[in-house]
Amino acid sequence: MVVRRRVRAVLMPLGLYAVSGLVVGYFVHQAESGNRGLEAKRALKIQARALNQELTAAKADRAIWEHRVALLRSDQIDRDLLEERARVMLGRVHANDVVIIDP
């Protein structure tokens, strides 16, 4: 009987420490590599940075096109832009232009 009490007195705290250690280990593991852990946070930051760069490029492209459209819509059309569009639509070139045919 005395031996059982001593074994229980030693094994019960060891068992509780082991179980609590396993629970803490589980939560630490989930905090690091779970669906909402630190690794997922890093991946989301990288994805957000890439999307911000893509958005910046799209905004710059849109500004360029808005400028070109504004040149076409103004009261006085830009001569260079008009000439460029006319050459593209009619398939004509100026006598002084250098033409490079891309196969």
Side-chain angles (χ1 to χ4, degrees):
M1 288 282 233
V2 174
V3 173
R4 277 191 182 171
R5 286 184 188 170
R6 286 185 183 169
V7 169
R8 274 191 193 167
V10 171
L11 289 181
M12 286 299 287
L14 286 177
L16 290 175
Y17 286 132
V19 169
S20 63
L22 289 173
V23 169
V24 168
Y26 171 77
F27 284 116
V28 167
H29 173 70
Q30 288 299 318
E32 176 63 30
S33 63
N35 288 341
R36 296 185 177 130
L38 296 174
E39 290 179 11
K41 185 177 180 180
R42 284 186 213 110
L44 285 174
K45 281 185 178 181
I46 291 169
Q47 184 180 10
R49 195 172 297 129
L51 288 174
N52 279 333
Q53 290 174 351
E54 185 177 335
L55 177 64
T56 304
K59 283 182 179 180
D61 192 36
R62 181 183 173 122
I64 291 169
W65 281 105
E66 282 180 353
H67 176 70
R68 293 186 78 178
V69 168
L71 289 175
L72 287 174
R73 288 188 181 168
S74 67
D75 294 335
Q76 182 180 2
I77 296 176
D78 185 34
R79 286 181 155 177
D80 291 335
L81 193 57
L82 178 63
E83 183 180 354
E84 176 188 338
R85 292 304 309 154
R87 285 184 186 190
V88 168
M89 292 178 89
L90 298 174
R92 305 291 249 169
V93 294
H94 193 270
N96 295 334
D97 287 344
V98 176
V99 178
I100 300 173
I101 299 174
D102 189 20

